[in-house]
Amino acid sequence: MSDEAIAVFQVEARENLELIEQGLLDLLDRPEDRDLVDAVFRGLHTLKGSGSMFGFDALAAFTHHCETAFDRVRKGEVAATTDLVSAVLAARDHMRQLMEDPSGDYGAAGDLLLADLERAVQEADGAGPPAVVTPGLTTWRIKFDLPANAFKNGANPLALLAELREMGEARVVADASRVPPLSQIEPTDHYLAWDVTLTTDQDRATIEDVFIFVIDDMNLSIEALDEARLGASPVQAAAVAEPVEPAPAKVAAPVAAPVAVQAAAAVANDPVEASGAKTAKAVESVRVPADRLDELMDRVGELVIAQSRLTQISNSGTDTALRAVSEEIERLSGELRDTMMVLRMVPVATLFGRFRRLVHDLARETGKAIDLSTDGETTEIDKTVIERLADPLVHLIRNAADHGLETAEDRAAAGKPATGRIRLSAHQSGGEVVITIRDDGRGIDRERVRAKAESQGLIEPGAVLSDHDLLQMIFHPGFSTAAAVTNLSGRGVGMDVVKRTIEALRGSIDIASRPGEGSEVSLRIPLTLAIIDGLLVRVGQGRYVIPLGAVEECLELSLDEDLRSRGRSFISLRNSLVPYLRLREMFETGTPPELHQKVVVVSTGTERIGLVVDQIIGDHQTVIKSMSKLHAGLPTFSGATILGDGGVALILDVGHLVAKGQQQEAQMREAI
Amino acid sequence: MSTQTELATAPGWTGAEQVEVLTFELNGELFALHAVGVQEIMDLTPETVVPGAGAFAGAVINFRGKVIPLADLRVAFGLERNAPTIDSRIVVIEIELSGEPTLVGLRTDKVHEVTTLARADSEAPPSVGMRWRPEFIQCLVKRDGEFIVVPDLQTIFNQQQDARQPVTSATRH
């Protein structure tokens, strides 16, 4: 088996396992949902089949046991209890291990999981809805034929027949009427049809399941034979004649109703009808390596630049035909760029989906009842951003479950519902996505935060702090209020790491909390790392981009004011003094100051400074290019971008400049 | 790409008796680069000064939609930096920086030709009597009565990356 084929199998198996997990988690909320049960079962079945096909025997064997156990749920013999679903979830994790590392030795772990599963099934057996009424022996007449290309698609009629035979006594008659003369036979084509008379205690759904993988392309009819036509033994007659009481709670079609499913072309074309419970058609997708997208992005960037040069040329001439073409190309390349941006975006649902499992596990670990609700899953963010958000969010959710939510008794004492709620939501706001994690727990204990901060020497004992500043203390490195280290959080990875990660994504983090009512952490993340909205400015000969999100306002700095402020470098802005940096001096441009310099006031949250520039050119949406390692040590610049005329502008790192400004301010104060 | 990098920067002749090089001029001195590592020879293009970066790589340029540093070997060899002329070119090469293949532009006063140098004609840089730092030179090759300098780019770049000098006032053009 080629490595490539195995890699493809693993990719598909990963997706399949993901779907199984989602299905199981949904099942926790809606244990009665037959479609979900079927979907999970199909997933297990596929995994088993493809696993054994690709030589993942341990996986196939283990999955087979799970499938068998789960089959009882599917048949409605046992209910999908929380314990049972949790056991299957744990088993799913084991399958993942077996899939990722088929050579590993997990024998004992697997047996334990299966034992758990078995126990859960047994317990559920008692609690389950009335078992499906098995109608005794029924005789079915099954006619099916497969399309000519069935072999190419991997169908094996013999295996289908063997599966039917396993169900009971079967009489198989091959219908060779479609076989052409020898000279016209295509050896790879399939020509036969079958007529099977099967006496079994299985129901129609089980028989249909034999054909689950081929049903879309085939003709299938399954009829229960009645007494007259069969001329059968009394036992069978009785079985068929006996009216079956459909259990009121059953959602599945009454088993005994002998409606002939004429699954001829019309019906077979409708997959929902034919296979009973196929999920809605998935959106078609193509897998593309991310670096190819990056490459495409570069090309599009170059195209946009070349196009803007073309526009300049066409505008300087009088050739109207050229101008028309140029405008057309301008529009097209703009659209191409927009499309390109969208390609990299993925909905946050992929991220949120992972947390359902996390919360499920957290609830079991802490013994708290936790309900996770999500909102705004369709909000889209750049793929790279999504991946880097996962860890911080895991940490925040763990914090909420572990520190935020109280135990059921405490909640009851506080007059809250026993189930703690964690709400995860996302929405787009301008060029940012805001993700909030809210819990309805006890809120942040200000006194403990203060005590901890004081004991750590972060603040002076008795220092007067605003509530906001006090809460900010939890982002300080090494700060952790949990008295005891638990398995969940408080393992040294603190909120400061979360904050750093978010800031590395050019985002910001904010926390709000009301004692007794809960906390809310909101993350503001730029839509993409590849593009920023910037203010293009000129300093001397050089052009620079200031991220627009950091810009508060722009003012004029008259020459007089500039001269007057020499030596102190403060401007007064609505009664507060704002320090400023003369970029011209900082960058040593060697040019004289312009007559009408501008001050761009930038801020990072609370701190702000002014940047004196020679000219404000305008706002500019830029594709960020990273600087080479040769310039990696320069903190002033966070990257570079290519302008419309093909020139390069450097992007200023506002955080660094603000820190520098504050430093300067501190020096000034000392001097005074 | 990685094999090219190896050839462009590996010390010695990597076993071959002959090697293809691109020769160019810097302030009247003749230099040579292994030709396989050369990506492109381009005309001067608008460059963007990076304030705070050393004089060695004091600017960046747009090379086919990428922002790449523009390095000046004259700084490493202590040569005077003349104003660009109509013959000035930028040679774009790929070298490895901190384990990452990186495109870098090199300023040259004039690009000569792609030619073959023989190992038999090469000699190690003399340890005395040279005004240039010997570790920056891979070897000297004698041809037609003059010496061609084969610089050790990897060492030069590693060194510049480690010890970035503060910018010295407007000596740049």
Side-chain angles (χ1 to χ4, degrees):
Chain A
M1 191 67 60
S2 74
D3 289 352
E4 213 170 299
I6 287 180
V8 170
F9 160 71
Q10 283 178 321
V11 167
E12 280 173 4
R14 255 173 238 139
E15 273 177 11
N16 198 352
L17 284 166
E18 202 97 319
L19 289 177
I20 293 173
E21 181 173 51
Q22 295 301 328
L24 287 168
L25 290 167
D26 285 333
L27 206 54
L28 286 172
D29 299 335
R30 307 196 297 276
E32 295 292 323
D33 192 328
R34 305 301 305 171
D35 287 354
L36 283 173
V37 172
D38 286 346
V40 171
F41 182 79
R42 260 202 310 280
L44 291 170
H45 192 72
T46 309
L47 191 65
K48 178 181 81 170
S50 55
S52 76
M53 192 155 93
F54 285 89
F56 287 67
D57 294 333
L59 173 67
F62 181 80
T63 311
H64 172 73
H65 293 302
C66 295
E67 186 196 337
T68 313
F70 202 75
D71 195 28
R72 298 196 57 200
V73 178
R74 193 181 60 112
K75 286 183 185 146
E77 292 169 18
V78 296
T81 58
T82 311
D83 279 344
L84 196 154
V85 173
S86 296
V88 181
L89 269 174
R92 184 214 80 106
D93 293 350
H94 186 65
M95 289 172 207
R96 173 137 196 161
Q97 269 183 330
L98 291 171
M99 186 272 292
E100 299 288 356
D101 178 19
S103 55
D105 181 19
Y106 305 107
D111 291 346
L112 281 177
L113 287 168
L114 287 178
D116 277 353
L117 184 58
E118 183 59 37
R119 199 163 43 246
V121 171
Q122 305 237 316
E123 279 166 18
D125 209 355
V132 172
V133 193
T134 34
L137 289 178
T138 317
T139 298
W140 304 88
R141 181 152 187 209
I142 305 151
K143 290 189 194 171
F144 70 96
D145 63 70
L146 296 168
N149 64 357
F151 291 133
K152 285 188 193 128
N153 295 336
N156 180 356
L158 286 180
L160 298 174
L161 291 171
E163 246 182 280
L164 288 176
R165 276 201 212 95
E166 275 174 21
M167 291 182 187
E169 201 187 317
R171 201 168 61 91
V172 180
V173 179
D175 170 9
S177 60
R178 276 199 303 161
V179 179
L182 192 57
S183 60
Q184 287 164 32
I185 282 190
E186 196 64 51
T188 55
D189 277 2
H190 178 267
Y191 298 106
L192 294 175
W194 279 274
D195 187 341
V196 182
T197 314
L198 173 69
T199 308
T200 176
D201 55 355
Q202 305 287 340
D203 58 22
R204 175 191 302 275
T206 318
I207 298 173
E208 277 177 6
D209 280 349
V210 170
F211 302 98
I212 192 162
F213 293 116
V214 286
I215 202 156
D216 290 352
D217 301 320
M218 70 186 299
N219 294 320
L220 172 67
S221 80
I222 303 174
E223 277 175 69
L225 292 183
D226 59 34
E227 202 179 349
R229 283 172 61 191
L230 192 67
S233 66
V235 181
Q236 284 161 329
V240 177
E242 181 183 300
V244 175
E245 304 281 338
K250 285 295 294 168
V251 187
V255 180
V259 184
V261 181
Q262 270 301 342
V267 184
N269 282 343
D270 183 351
V272 178
E273 193 77 32
S275 67
K278 253 200 184 152
T279 40
K281 186 170 176 258
V283 181
E284 270 189 53
S285 62
V286 182
R287 241 171 249 287
V288 180
D291 54 352
R292 284 204 199 159
L293 281 186
D294 292 343
E295 214 177 299
L296 189 56
M297 188 87 166
D298 280 348
R299 293 291 163 279
V300 171
E302 283 170 60
L303 177 71
V304 171
I305 290 159
Q307 170 269 314
S308 70
R309 286 216 287 268
L310 176 66
T311 307
Q312 267 174 13
I313 293 168
S314 72
N315 285 347
S316 62
T318 51
D319 191 336
T320 50
L322 175 65
R323 190 171 294 189
V325 174
S326 153
E327 277 169 12
E328 182 77 4
I329 291 177
E330 184 172 351
R331 185 178 59 78
L332 288 172
S333 55
E335 283 173 9
L336 187 59
R337 195 173 107 161
D338 292 347
T339 317
M340 191 55 227
M341 299 301 166
V342 175
L343 279 189
R344 299 181 51 91
M345 307 294 261
V346 285
V348 291
T350 57
L351 186 63
F352 284 6
R354 304 182 207 173
F355 300 135
R356 297 175 57 203
R357 177 63 190 277
L358 176 73
V359 167
H360 169 78
D361 289 351
L362 287 173
R364 286 179 87 79
E365 259 178 80
T366 56
K368 300 170 184 172
I370 307 174
D371 176 39
L372 175 74
S373 59
T374 55
D375 185 20
E377 288 108 323
T378 51
T379 315
E380 291 190 325
I381 318 185
D382 191 280
K383 182 153 174 51
T384 34
V385 179
I386 289 247
E387 265 144 36
R388 287 161 67 179
L389 270 179
D391 284 348
L393 282 176
V394 165
H395 188 82
L396 291 172
I397 291 171
R398 278 175 177 273
N399 261 347
D402 200 25
H403 303 319
L405 296 179
E406 314 90 328
T407 56
E409 300 87 69
D410 288 354
R411 290 185 69 89
K416 295 186 193 177
T419 303
R421 289 175 60 86
I422 296 179
R423 186 172 179 74
L424 202 53
S425 66
H427 70 270
Q428 192 178 337
S429 149
E432 287 178 323
V433 167
V434 184
I435 297 178
T436 52
I437 301 104
R438 183 188 307 172
D439 65 67
D440 66 346
R442 57 172 78 93
I444 293 172
D445 185 340
R446 265 68 168 182
E447 285 316 304
R448 268 171 71 200
V449 171
R450 176 177 282 277
K452 180 83 180 184
E454 283 176 4
S455 74
Q456 295 270 326
L458 302 177
I459 53 171
E460 294 289 317
V464 181
L465 282 176
S466 69
D467 192 50
H468 179 262
D469 287 349
L470 189 64
L471 287 181
Q472 292 298 314
M473 298 311 301
I474 66 168
F475 294 119
H476 208 281
F479 187 93
S480 174
T481 52
V485 171
T486 68
N487 189 23
L488 300 182
S489 46
R491 263 186 295 192
V493 191
M495 292 289 275
D496 62 311
V497 178
V498 172
K499 186 177 188 200
R500 270 214 304 280
T501 315
I502 300 300
E503 280 174 354
L505 292 169
R506 298 203 321 270
S508 62
I509 183 167
D510 204 14
I511 188 161
S513 176
R514 282 197 206 177
E517 286 178 33
S519 311
E520 178 178 307
V521 180
S522 32
L523 312 176
R524 304 182 77 88
I525 312 289
L527 277 179
T528 166
L529 290 184
I531 293 201
I532 60 166
D533 266 322
L535 191 67
L536 190 62
V537 300
R538 185 175 58 80
V539 179
Q541 301 293 318
R543 286 172 296 179
Y544 301 90
V545 173
I546 304 173
L548 205 54
V551 175
E552 293 212 323
E553 59 188 294
C554 301
L555 319 161
E556 190 145 329
L557 182 70
S558 67
L559 207 50
D560 290 351
E561 207 174 344
D562 189 23
L563 288 172
R564 223 178 324 123
S565 68
R566 279 237 179 272
R568 59 177 180 88
S569 297
F570 281 102
I571 45 167
S572 88
L573 189 64
R574 287 186 291 279
N575 297 330
S576 69
L577 282 182
V578 177
Y580 65 80
L581 296 169
R582 289 188 179 82
L583 293 185
R584 202 166 29 77
E585 289 172 9
M586 218 176 122
F587 295 164
E588 301 183 37
T589 58
T591 53
E594 302 258 328
L595 204 57
H596 301 287
Q597 295 184 94
K598 303 285 188 300
V599 184
V600 180
V601 179
V602 295
S603 78
T604 57
T606 47
E607 318 287 356
R608 57 183 180 172
I609 64 157
L611 303 173
V612 181
V613 302
D614 285 330
Q615 187 194 350
I616 292 173
I617 300 173
D619 62 345
H620 183 75
Q621 207 186 42
T622 54
V623 180
I624 301 172
K625 309 273 177 180
S626 54
M627 306 272 272
S628 75
K629 292 275 190 226
L630 220 48
H631 293 132
L634 288 176
T636 321
F637 307 106
S638 57
T641 182
I642 293 177
L643 300 174
D645 61 3
V648 177
L650 301 173
I651 301 169
L652 298 178
D653 185 330
V654 171
H656 172 76
L657 287 171
V658 169
K660 198 158 177 152
Q662 297 296 324
Q663 206 179 317
Q664 177 184 310
E665 188 185 1
Q667 281 168 2
M668 302 290 260
R669 285 193 201 287
E670 266 170 41
I672 298 163
Chain B
M1 210 51 102
S2 63
T3 55
Q4 291 189 353
T5 313
E6 196 183 314
L7 286 167
T9 57
W13 295 97
T14 59
E17 284 305 312
Q18 294 197 320
V19 68
E20 287 233 303
V21 295
L22 176 77
T23 58
F24 60 92
E25 217 177 283
L26 280 180
N27 208 359
E29 305 276 355
L30 206 53
F31 286 79
L33 288 174
H34 294 239
V36 278
V38 175
Q39 302 279 318
E40 188 162 317
I41 298 164
M42 53 193 283
D43 287 334
L44 290 189
T45 165
E47 46 194 75
T48 302
V49 173
V50 181
F56 175 69
V60 289
I61 53 168
N62 168 12
F63 170 64
R64 299 193 196 166
K66 294 190 180 72
V67 176
I68 68 168
L70 186 55
D72 195 339
L73 291 179
R74 291 175 299 191
V75 174
F77 288 107
L79 295 170
E80 196 183 319
R81 289 189 280 160
N82 301 326
T85 67
I86 193 164
D87 286 329
S88 298
R89 295 287 181 276
I90 294 169
V91 178
V92 179
I93 57 163
E94 194 184 64
I95 63 162
E96 206 153 284
L97 287 177
S98 312
E100 261 181 41
T102 310
L103 290 173
V104 173
L106 295 179
R107 288 179 202 275
T108 65
D109 288 341
K110 185 173 185 178
V111 170
H112 283 261
E113 56 177 346
V114 174
T115 183
T116 307
L117 296 182
R119 187 215 285 266
D121 298 332
S122 73
E123 41 188 87
S127 47
V128 286
M130 230 182 34
R131 54 201 165 103
W132 300 340
R133 297 169 62 173
E135 69 265 31
F136 283 178
I137 297 173
Q138 212 176 82
C139 63
L140 299 172
V141 181
K142 202 171 169 185
R143 199 182 62 168
D144 303 335
E146 56 178 350
F147 276 105
I148 302 174
V149 182
V150 183
D152 187 339
L153 292 180
Q154 199 66 63
T155 308
I156 293 173
F157 274 91
N158 287 347
Q159 203 132 121
Q160 294 296 334
Q161 204 185 346
D162 295 341
R164 199 177 294 105
Q165 291 127 20
V167 72
T168 45
S169 57
T171 44
R172 227 172 277 117
H173 31 260

